[in-house]
Amino acid sequence: MPTGMSTGKVTVDGHVVEINDARNILEVVRRAGIKLPTFCYHSELSVYGACRMCMVEVEGRGLVASCSTPPADGMVIHTNTPRTRRLRRMIIELLLANHDRECTSCERSGSCKLQQLARQMGVTEVRFGQRDKKMPVDDTSPALVKNPNKCILCGDCVRMCKEVQGLGIWDFAFRGSKTQVTTAFGKPLQEVACVNCGQCVAVCPTGALTVKSEVGKVWEAIHDPDKVVVVQVAPAVRVAIGEEFGLLPGEKATGQMVSALRKIGFDRVFDTLFTADMTTIEEGMELLGRLEKGGRLPLFTSCCPAWVKYAEQFHADLLENLSTCRSPQQMFGSLVKKYYAREIGKNPAEVVCVSVMPCTAKKFEARRPEFTTGGVPDVDFVLTTMELAQMIKEAGIVFNELEPEMFDNPLGMGSGAAVIYGASGGVMESVVRFAAAQQSPGDVGRVDFYPVRGIQGIKEAELEIGGQTLKLAVVNGLANAEKLINRIKSGEAFYHAVEVMACPGGCLGGGGQPYPNNTASRLGRMKGLYALDRAEQLHRPQDNIFVTRALERWFGGPANANTHQALHTRYYPRRRISGKPVEVSGRRDERPVEVAVCVGTNCYLKGSYDILNKFMTLARQMGIADYVQLKGTFCLEHCDRGVSIKVNDEIITNVTLENAEEVFKTKIAIKAEPPWVV
């Protein structure tokens, strides 16, 4: 009988348990109230079965890995025998022997699964020696840090990145004792196609992958008497921060969080809900404008920086479909540096803007060069939910005893439509609320758009607004986004608007949220956000008079040239792998013609490998191979214009196998020495 369709009963440690379609023995054992230890098992990912911590003894079959063995009617299973205990302890010892055991200074100390299981198994000493040399730590990414010395080869990050995000940034390399998890060609994180989503951090059981901390820099800014330090807090943070202080996922902790931020020393405590409402108004107007004027559709949301980077790297032909609106974080930073600073008599460099976000990719977004004012970043530092919790603990603040406080105005007011930005489908529902009111002559009342809610990977809906039926799609997880994009490009599906969030469940499942960041936690946080939405007096973004007044005072109204300059942006093709090109032909001339042919995924699929071979053949046939240096490069950042090549400093696009010979003669051979005569 196939896995997942099993019926019947098994006996677990003397107790009879129904199988009830359990996929594996591990699920049956857990139903029996026994929590078997695991490292590599995640119910949301494929079964790997490498760590063997979940081994049980099955009568007639001996030791089996419970995570990868389907149950069968009549099985007699023993989970706690001298043999299983001895093997589990030995596995822990072997892992510890190959693990950097500087636990006291490790960011995951206290929440490290290896540490917890060592304590659970009663492992107090390790009989094996430690590893003899350490590998370098990779801290080149703006969002993540990789410490290979703490990796236990569980493969969780590999499967998460490949199966949920569809990227495959991580994979196993080498064999035996030299096995390691690494990137393509062993390149630093900043040089590969990582989108900084942090989902690998969310599943890493040890400190091998962690969030790059900016806590120290924020403390320095707070203690600088010459700086005014303001903070904005994203919606998903308020339903997760309490988890670090004993509350359940989704329990409201907004007031205590605001109080804690003031005690930490922030001069102003503002709410990202303010600019989420502003984003909805601008994006809603953009969608209505495209519908009216026949603009490019579907309109893709651009609030998620991991999705934006993914589109820049893999779907440059869709960049014109992305909303030009900045994310709420970057709109807020722009308002603070361009307008609020002026109102309080400060220049942009004297105001430090700190964001508290559930998302690690926001750290990358804040460093994008287009998001600056007078050379100063609009958002100076980004803290994750976990980093804020660390600061609260560092300051000795007793979170659960704090009296709730309110956000500061004028940038501290938001509607329920802004609250739900933290959940998958929230941005789409917010735009629906805005557009429904804009296109209806009377009061449409409360709009709750249930078809786009939930944690399903892909959701579709139809809605009639202003006499037109709009087709909408909401997707979370980049692998799901890729499936949807392929359907759109093939003509199989059409939508007017698409919301994309990289993290499962949306922002509430971001890589900077508390552990465990699993389905149960995400569902609890989602429930909490919708409860806050129901409690908000303001339902739609246009109900927020603080936002509408700000748009009038600072920009002369919404959706005009002034808002476009300060609140909008553009995105461009981005290379996926950086570093030195791969030289495929030598040369003897001191001044060769340097030719780089893009062999990145987009260009490769359009025939760049054949074009590179064609150039090599032509160089030999024309006798100029010594004067042409051919290289394969990973990206020339013109993915939307066909195969790209670079001849010395000139970029040439739309090269095909059919025009390759003409391009070679007119752009390459003519520059080679000695002069080539046609």
Side-chain angles (χ1 to χ4, degrees):
M1 187 172 292
T3 303
M5 297 296 291
S6 299
T7 58
K9 299 178 181 179
V10 300
T11 302
V12 179
D13 293 341
H15 299 279
V16 177
V17 182
E18 296 278 352
I19 295 177
N20 289 338
D21 290 338
R23 298 174 300 171
N24 48 53
I25 291 175
L26 180 60
E27 290 185 2
V28 179
V29 169
R30 287 180 171 175
R31 288 177 189 172
I34 298 169
K35 189 177 180 181
L36 281 179
T38 61
F39 272 124
C40 67
Y41 180 76
H42 274 269
S43 59
E44 301 165 12
L45 303 175
S46 64
V47 174
Y48 184 45
C51 73
R52 319 308 277 183
M53 283 294 295
C54 67
M55 284 190 299
V56 295
E57 287 197 70
V58 177
E59 291 187 7
R61 296 179 63 176
L63 287 167
V64 299
S66 63
C67 68
S68 57
T69 306
D73 186 31
M75 267 186 178
V76 179
I77 302 164
H78 301 281
T79 68
N80 189 27
T81 67
R83 194 179 182 192
T84 58
R85 287 200 307 274
R86 176 174 58 83
L87 289 173
R88 287 175 192 148
R89 286 172 60 91
M90 182 175 289
I91 291 168
I92 292 289
E93 286 188 74
L94 288 168
L95 289 172
L96 287 170
N98 198 43
H99 182 77
D100 180 359
R101 301 202 294 271
E102 289 291 336
C103 295
T104 53
S105 58
C106 178
E107 185 176 320
R108 288 296 302 273
S109 183
S111 63
C112 171
K113 203 167 184 181
L114 179 59
Q115 191 181 54
Q116 292 168 353
L117 288 181
R119 190 178 300 118
Q120 180 183 330
M121 295 292 107
V123 177
T124 56
E125 60 177 304
V126 179
R127 294 170 291 169
F128 312 107
Q130 286 187 277
R131 62 193 306 165
D132 52 2
K133 65 178 182 178
K134 289 189 176 183
M135 300 173 67
V137 173
D138 181 359
D139 62 354
T140 59
S141 164
L144 312 175
V145 176
K146 177 201 174 191
N147 186 344
N149 306 294
K150 297 187 178 183
C151 179
I152 59 172
L153 302 177
C154 66
D156 292 349
C157 60
V158 174
R159 287 174 291 142
M160 171 58 77
C161 194
K162 191 172 295 183
E163 296 170 13
V164 176
Q165 300 298 53
L167 286 165
I169 300 304
W170 303 112
D171 212 337
F172 291 100
F174 313 115
R175 304 187 67 177
S177 62
K178 296 182 179 179
T179 302
Q180 60 178 276
V181 172
T182 187
T183 58
F185 310 108
K187 285 181 171 288
L189 264 176
Q190 71 169 359
E191 294 185 11
V192 296
C194 174
V195 295
N196 305 292
C197 69
Q199 288 304 302
C200 54
V201 174
V203 297
C204 180
T206 67
L209 289 167
T210 55
V211 176
K212 193 168 191 176
S213 177
E214 295 183 72
V215 168
K217 295 176 181 178
V218 174
W219 279 124
E220 287 180 19
I222 288 172
H223 295 311
D224 187 340
D226 298 323
K227 302 291 186 184
V228 174
V229 185
V230 304
V231 62
Q232 59 164 317
V233 186
V237 175
R238 67 204 67 199
V239 291
I241 186 68
E243 296 170 41
E244 282 295 295
F245 302 97
L247 301 183
L248 294 174
E251 281 197 62
K252 180 182 177 182
T254 312
Q256 290 88 342
M257 177 186 66
V258 172
S259 179
L261 287 165
R262 288 205 177 98
K263 285 184 176 294
I264 284 172
F266 288 101
D267 297 301
R268 301 285 190 278
V269 181
F270 293 135
D271 199 339
T272 313
L273 298 191
F274 183 90
T275 41
D277 277 335
M278 194 171 280
T279 301
T280 302
I281 292 172
E282 290 291 308
E283 194 165 294
M285 296 291 283
E286 183 179 6
L287 175 60
L288 293 175
R290 291 196 187 196
L291 292 171
E292 180 183 348
K293 299 174 183 177
R296 286 190 63 163
L297 296 172
L299 176 69
F300 285 91
T301 59
S302 57
C303 294
C304 173
W307 149 242
V308 169
K309 188 170 187 281
Y310 180 83
E312 290 177 321
Q313 293 177 158
F314 294 94
H315 294 285
D317 55 327
L318 291 179
L319 293 181
E320 292 298 319
N321 291 73
L322 263 65
S323 168
T324 61
C325 292
R326 300 187 186 194
S327 71
Q329 169 180 276
Q330 295 307 139
M331 278 198 186
F332 185 93
S334 184
L335 291 182
V336 165
K337 294 297 178 78
K338 292 178 174 66
Y339 302 96
Y340 181 73
R342 188 171 61 207
E343 290 197 353
I344 62 173
K346 300 289 183 180
N347 65 54
E350 294 175 309
V351 179
V352 176
C353 181
V354 178
S355 298
V356 182
M357 296 283 145
C359 171
T360 53
K362 290 292 181 184
K363 292 175 179 283
F364 164 79
E365 181 184 49
R367 283 159 179 73
R368 293 185 69 114
E370 57 265 35
F371 297 140
T372 59
T373 297
V376 178
D378 290 336
V379 175
D380 296 279
F381 306 113
V382 178
L383 300 173
T384 61
T385 308
M386 292 293 287
E387 287 173 273
L388 172 59
Q390 180 188 336
M391 291 187 74
I392 293 171
K393 293 171 184 177
E394 276 187 44
I397 297 169
V398 183
F399 188 83
N400 295 327
E401 296 180 5
L402 293 172
E403 289 294 325
E405 297 182 11
M406 301 291 290
F407 287 103
D408 292 315
N409 281 323
L411 308 180
M413 179 66 72
S415 71
V419 171
I420 60 176
Y421 258 61
S424 172
V427 177
M428 185 66 74
E429 182 169 350
S430 300
V431 171
V432 166
R433 291 182 187 183
F434 171 80
Q438 285 290 108
Q439 297 295 96
S440 301
D443 185 4
V444 296
R446 184 175 180 88
V447 176
D448 290 308
F449 197 44
Y450 292 100
V452 298
R453 296 185 181 183
I455 62 171
Q456 300 96 317
I458 300 176
K459 294 163 283 188
E460 299 171 299
E462 290 189 4
L463 179 72
E464 186 172 322
I465 294 180
Q468 182 175 3
T469 300
L470 300 184
K471 294 185 176 182
L472 312 173
V474 171
V475 60
N476 63 89
L478 293 176
N480 289 324
E482 186 66 24
K483 293 176 187 175
L484 192 75
I485 289 169
N486 288 337
R487 289 177 58 201
I488 293 170
K489 288 186 175 182
S490 68
E492 181 184 346
F494 170 80
Y495 306 99
H496 294 92
V498 179
E499 177 199 304
V500 183
M501 295 291 171
C503 295
C507 301
L508 50 79
Q513 294 282 69
Y515 309 106
N517 197 357
N518 54 23
T519 299
S521 297
R522 293 193 288 268
L523 285 171
R525 296 165 191 161
M526 185 174 288
K527 183 178 179 181
L529 283 176
Y530 286 114
L532 291 174
D533 170 40
R534 290 192 298 272
E536 285 286 350
Q537 292 182 335
L538 306 178
H539 179 63
R540 297 164 301 202
Q542 55 265 62
D543 297 336
N544 188 340
I545 60 171
F546 288 93
V547 169
T548 55
R549 285 175 181 172
L551 285 169
E552 287 295 334
R553 182 171 77 252
W554 289 334
F555 306 104
N560 56 39
N562 295 326
T563 62
H564 202 274
Q565 182 178 6
L567 305 179
H568 291 246
T569 188
R570 290 197 66 183
Y571 300 105
Y572 302 93
R574 179 186 295 270
R575 66 172 61 210
R576 289 185 289 280
I577 299 181
S578 303
K580 295 180 179 179
V582 179
E583 189 172 328
V584 294
S585 70
R587 88 286 184 204
R588 288 197 296 269
D589 191 82
E590 291 299 321
R591 294 179 291 118
V593 180
E594 295 186 355
V595 181
V597 178
C598 176
V599 291
T601 306
N602 271 336
C603 290
Y604 180 86
L605 293 174
K606 295 170 185 173
S608 64
Y609 182 76
D610 293 331
I611 291 170
L612 181 59
N613 280 328
K614 179 77 170 178
F615 285 173
M616 293 173 67
T617 301
L618 289 169
R620 286 194 299 269
Q621 289 176 350
M622 296 178 183
I624 57 173
D626 289 342
Y627 305 96
V628 176
Q629 184 182 18
L630 285 168
K631 303 176 182 178
T633 189
F634 291 110
C635 191
L636 293 172
E637 301 182 346
H638 292 280
C639 306
D640 56 337
R641 304 179 197 173
V643 175
S644 302
I645 70 171
K646 185 177 182 181
V647 181
N648 292 335
D649 294 324
E650 180 186 3
I651 300 288
I652 301 167
T653 59
N654 292 315
V655 181
T656 65
L657 195 58
E658 289 72 26
N659 67 16
E661 184 169 349
E662 179 186 354
V663 170
F664 189 87
K665 289 180 178 179
T666 58
K667 297 292 184 179
I668 300 171
I670 201 168
K671 297 178 182 179
E673 293 183 1
W676 176 70
V677 180
V678 180

